[in-house]
Amino acid sequence: MHAGARTKMPKGLELLTLGIDLGGSKILTAIVNPRGEILSSDESITPATKGREAVIQSILNSTHHVLKKASVAISEIYAIGVGVAGISNPETGILFTSPNLPELRDVPLRDIMQERLGKKTFVINDANAAVLGEFYFGAAQGAHNFIYITLSTGIGGGIVIDGKIYTGAIGAAGEVGHMTIDDNGPICNCGNRGCWETLASGTALAREAKHRIKEGFRTSILEYAEGDVEKVTAQVIHSAAKHGDSLAKELIAQTGYYIGVGLANLINIFNPELIVIGGGLSNIGDMLLKPAFKTAGERAYKEAFQAVRFASAGLGRNSGVLGAAAFALKEVRKLHCK
Ligand SMILES: [Zn+2]
């Protein structure tokens, strides 16, 4: 499974796994070989408000679709891995709660999938699935102590310690986006105040720009948002910054600063060898990340900062399905070795 130990098998006898990335807005499904190559994939909308059976039916439809596309029978699938947005217990495969899938509460997802498809199934948190994707096939290959963060509308993450994903007591570890950065900061979706994602995410960046525009600040940002303040997004602000808008540049640098404060905390707590950064917001690149690394360097322990390497996530949107598939393969092999 690991990069150095590739399975050599004639075509058709490979251990194929089915990876599923179940998110609040979309379901990504893929058939994956042990080298992390995707044989076929499918994307569908998550019927999040239509109830549990509708979501499960969508997963099954998507599964049949990828099997057909790759001309693979379900009997040829070795195991199934499901990465799901929310808190689930990897041991029991029960999804407790998912903020983006409110209809799915206390669902025995693993058992349902096993029953419907007749294949061993393993359930993991979606951020942890993405971490494993990067670990086995992406930017974190060969690293033993690393942290993965996704800078997006929120901030997600995962922690690998001594080559193993750290899931905590109930599978809720790695919620890096909800560490408090400013105790008087903006209210977060989680109910707390001043969480990292309220200050350093794409949503935070857009909120600050909207605020300044409404105050009457002179900026060209609106021109990139069809003149509608509600259409101001991180992407819009980035476009304005690339064309020299000083407010856009200032706000991106400020977001970078807050990213750096959180990075310094993570570096001091975990002393990672590597921090992998993914998510749409990180595509802004140097304008955002240079101030982030500068701030992290100023705030973290010098030796710990010097020991850390930063890398961009390598798998993009496929990290979750690839990681879920890899997780399933690893877990099912463990069972066979017992
Ligand atoms: Zn929070």
Side-chain angles (χ1 to χ4, degrees):
M1 192 75 256
H2 213 277
R6 288 179 172 167
T7 317
K8 280 201 179 109
M9 281 202 170
K11 213 167 186 281
L13 283 176
E14 283 190 323
L15 299 177
L16 301 177
T17 42
L18 179 71
I20 298 165
D21 185 356
L22 172 59
S25 57
K26 60 182 190 300
I27 302 169
L28 285 173
T29 310
I31 295 175
V32 179
N33 73 15
R35 293 180 301 282
E37 291 159 356
I38 291 176
L39 274 62
S40 67
S41 65
D42 179 61
E43 179 179 334
S44 58
I45 302 290
T46 311
T49 56
K50 293 191 178 150
R52 150 181 167 168
E53 190 50 39
V55 173
I56 289 160
Q57 201 51 52
S58 283
I59 296 173
L60 295 176
N61 290 346
S62 185
T63 298
H64 293 307
H65 193 65
V66 286
L67 288 168
K68 202 175 160 206
K69 237 164 129 179
S71 304
V72 169
I74 186 74
S75 58
E76 295 172 71
I77 296 291
Y78 196 49
I80 299 169
V82 188
V84 57
I87 298 174
S88 58
N89 185 330
E91 300 295 321
T92 61
I94 294 175
L95 174 67
F96 301 124
T97 170
S98 175
N100 299 321
L101 296 161
E103 306 272 333
L104 270 69
R105 183 169 277 276
D106 297 322
V107 177
L109 195 56
R110 179 190 73 185
D111 293 351
I112 291 173
M113 293 296 290
Q114 284 184 172
E115 202 177 284
R116 305 281 180 98
L117 290 167
K119 287 287 155 184
K120 268 266 172 242
T121 301
F122 302 88
V123 175
I124 185 173
N125 166 273
D126 64 340
N128 286 337
V131 173
L132 288 180
E134 292 293 337
F135 184 41
Y136 287 114
F137 310 119
Q141 290 182 57
H144 290 91
N145 294 288
F146 74 93
I147 293 176
Y148 167 83
I149 61 166
T150 52
L151 304 171
S152 179
T153 48
I155 299 181
I159 298 155
V160 169
I161 297 173
D162 290 335
K164 274 183 21 203
I165 198 148
Y166 178 71
T167 53
I170 60 156
E175 291 291 346
V176 294
H178 299 281
M179 68 172 133
T180 303
I181 300 290
D182 176 358
D183 63 345
N184 275 316
I187 301 257
C188 182
N189 285 338
C190 75
N192 187 23
R193 245 180 208 287
C195 292
W196 197 20
E197 72 174 36
T198 70
L199 298 162
S201 65
T203 312
L205 174 58
R207 184 198 61 225
E208 286 305 303
K210 285 177 188 170
H211 182 69
R212 294 281 199 95
I213 291 165
K214 284 175 185 166
E215 275 184 341
F217 208 91
R218 275 188 55 189
T219 166
S220 69
I221 292 173
L222 269 186
E223 290 166 26
Y224 297 88
E226 299 167 28
D228 181 355
V229 71
E230 294 313 317
K231 288 188 178 161
V232 170
T233 60
Q235 218 176 350
V236 161
I237 298 163
H238 184 211
S239 297
K242 276 193 292 192
H243 290 91
D245 186 272
S246 58
L247 178 67
K249 287 198 280 190
E250 177 200 324
L251 293 178
I252 288 172
Q254 180 187 295
T255 307
Y257 165 81
Y258 281 121
I259 291 170
V261 175
L263 289 176
N265 291 344
L266 294 172
I267 291 165
N268 281 355
I269 297 169
F270 294 101
N271 180 206
E273 64 191 90
L274 170 72
I275 296 180
V276 178
I277 301 175
L281 186 68
S282 68
N283 293 335
I284 290 179
D286 279 356
M287 212 186 282
L288 181 78
L289 297 177
K290 265 193 180 164
F293 300 152
K294 180 172 175 280
T295 303
E298 285 162 1
R299 289 179 165 253
Y301 267 42
K302 193 171 154 237
E303 293 76 11
F305 181 75
Q306 282 168 347
V308 72
R309 186 165 61 82
F310 296 98
S312 299
L315 304 172
R317 62 206 284 280
N318 288 328
S319 57
V321 270
L322 287 171
F327 178 68
L329 184 57
K330 193 170 69 108
E331 291 301 305
V332 81
R333 275 180 170 165
K334 254 195 239 167
L335 291 178
H336 286 217
C337 292
K338 266 180 189 167

